[in-house]
Amino acid sequence: MKNKRFEGKSDSFFQKNSDTIPNKEWAELIKEERKYWDSTCTAETARAESDIKKNKLVYFHYFGMVDHYRSNVEMNELLKKYNIEVDSALTYCTVPGNLQNCYGHVMSKEIDRKFGSKFIDSLRHIAEIEYVNKNLDKIYDFEECDTISRYPRSKSYTAFFEDYKINFWKNVQYPEGFEYRKDKDLYSSISADFILNKNGSISDININLRFQNKNNYKYSSYFINETKNFIKKTKWVPATTLGITVNSRVPLTFFFK
C-alpha cells in the first residue's frame, strides 16, 4: 500500500512507540488509512461488477491469517472446467476484513449465486481427495490426518492423547536411584516420533530425553530402549485422511515424575 502522507518519512517514524505519538495524530493516521481502504474497496467493487457483466469470474486463494490448503493445484484444474479464473490475495490482521480484497468478495458472492452456496466446498473436497490419491507415498503430518485414534486401545481421538501415556507407564518402572521431580522443578520428558506406514509397520523412530535433574541422564539408555519397545510392540492404527489410509508421522510425549 502506498500513501503519500507517509512517503519521505524515515523508518524511525514508523518505529515510534504509540505513547510517543499524540492521540490526535494517531486519530488522523487511522482516519486517512480508513479513507484509503474505503476508496480502494469502492474501486475494486466497481471493477468486479464490470467483469461479471463480461461473464468473467475469478476465485481467490487467500494467504496470511487464514487456513491454507494443500490441494490448490487440483482446485485450479477443477475451476477451469467451469471457466472460473484463479487469483490470490493476502489477508491482513490490521485491516477490517470487509475492506480487504473487495473484488474477491464480490466475485465469491457471484460464484455462490450462479453455482450454489455449496459449490466451492464440494470442489474443494474433490480437490483434496485428488491430492491425497496423487500423494499416497507422502508422509503426512499428524494434524493433516483424520481425527481417529492411532492407539489400538483408545475409543476416541481425544482418549488417544492420554491412553498411550497411561499404558506406557504401567509397564515401565523407574530405576532404583532415579531422582524424582521436586515441586518447583520443571517437568522432564521423553519426546518421541515415528513413521506409521499405511500397512501398519513402524520406521524412523526418533527419541529425545530431557531431564531437569542432570543426574538422571545415566538412565537414558534404559528409557530409550523402553520407549522403542513400546512403539514397536504396539499395533498402531494407520492414519487416514479423507478416509484414505496414508503414511503418517506420530508424535508422543511422556512426562517423568
Side-chain angles (χ1 to χ4, degrees):
M1 182 192 74
K2 291 185 178 180
N3 191 316
K4 290 184 178 180
R5 176 166 180 169
F6 298 150
E7 289 178 0
K9 296 287 187 180
S10 66
D11 289 342
S12 61
F13 172 80
F14 298 100
Q15 294 168 356
K16 287 182 180 179
N17 294 326
S18 60
D19 58 359
T20 65
I21 299 177
N23 289 336
K24 185 176 181 181
E25 185 173 348
W26 268 118
E28 287 298 318
L29 292 175
I30 293 171
K31 184 178 179 180
E32 186 167 338
E33 196 79 353
R34 178 73 187 213
K35 284 181 180 179
Y36 169 83
W37 285 107
D38 281 339
S39 62
T40 299
C41 184
T42 300
E44 287 188 359
T45 298
R47 182 164 62 89
E49 291 172 347
S50 175
D51 285 346
I52 288 170
K53 289 179 181 179
K54 299 173 186 175
N55 294 318
K56 178 180 179 179
L57 292 176
V58 183
Y59 172 81
F60 278 81
H61 295 295
Y62 290 96
F63 300 94
M65 305 292 289
V66 293
D67 292 332
H68 297 163
Y69 291 99
R70 59 196 175 185
S71 59
N72 284 345
V73 172
E74 290 74 19
M75 185 70 170
N76 294 349
E77 291 301 314
L78 292 171
L79 289 165
K80 283 181 182 178
K81 296 178 181 178
Y82 296 88
N83 296 316
I84 299 174
E85 297 179 22
V86 175
D87 205 340
S88 61
L90 290 173
T91 57
Y92 305 91
C93 61
T94 56
V95 179
N98 63 315
L99 296 180
Q100 296 186 51
N101 194 29
C102 293
Y103 181 93
H105 293 328
V106 175
M107 283 291 176
S108 178
K109 289 180 181 179
E110 179 61 17
I111 291 172
D112 286 350
R113 186 197 69 77
K114 187 172 182 178
F115 296 100
S117 60
K118 297 181 180 179
F119 172 71
I120 290 297
D121 286 343
S122 65
L123 280 193
R124 178 60 75 178
H125 183 71
I126 295 169
E128 286 283 295
I129 291 174
E130 288 184 358
Y131 173 88
V132 175
N133 282 324
K134 288 179 183 178
N135 294 275
L136 291 176
D137 292 328
K138 174 184 171 180
I139 298 169
Y140 288 82
D141 290 335
F142 192 90
E143 297 78 9
E144 289 184 89
C145 301
D146 299 333
T147 52
I148 62 169
S149 172
R150 316 293 159 78
Y151 192 62
R153 298 180 182 86
S154 298
K155 294 182 179 180
S156 69
Y157 180 75
T158 303
F160 160 82
F161 296 99
E162 295 299 327
D163 289 351
Y164 76 81
K165 299 173 188 175
I166 293 170
N167 286 311
F168 174 78
W169 288 116
K170 279 182 180 178
N171 298 299
V172 175
Q173 303 297 319
Y174 284 94
E176 185 177 347
F178 183 90
E179 298 185 35
Y180 295 99
R181 173 179 176 267
K182 296 181 175 60
D183 289 340
K184 294 183 179 181
D185 288 347
L186 298 174
Y187 278 99
S188 300
S189 63
I190 303 170
S191 295
D193 65 76
F194 61 92
I195 294 174
L196 173 57
N197 297 295
K198 54 192 173 187
N199 62 4
S201 64
I202 300 298
S203 60
D204 293 4
I205 298 174
N206 295 301
I207 300 172
N208 291 297
L209 302 179
R210 183 177 180 182
F211 292 107
Q212 296 298 327
N213 188 324
K214 306 303 180 186
N215 293 329
N216 287 330
Y217 274 106
K218 59 189 174 185
Y219 305 115
S220 294
S221 60
Y222 167 74
F223 286 112
I224 288 173
N225 288 332
E226 290 294 327
T227 305
K228 283 184 178 178
N229 288 335
F230 174 76
I231 292 172
K232 290 178 179 178
K233 290 179 179 180
T234 300
K235 293 184 178 179
W236 303 92
V237 179
T240 63
T241 180
L242 297 167
I244 302 168
T245 305
V246 295
N247 306 315
S248 66
R249 186 170 294 281
V250 181
L252 305 174
T253 303
F254 308 93
F255 290 102
F256 293 104
K257 291 182 180 179

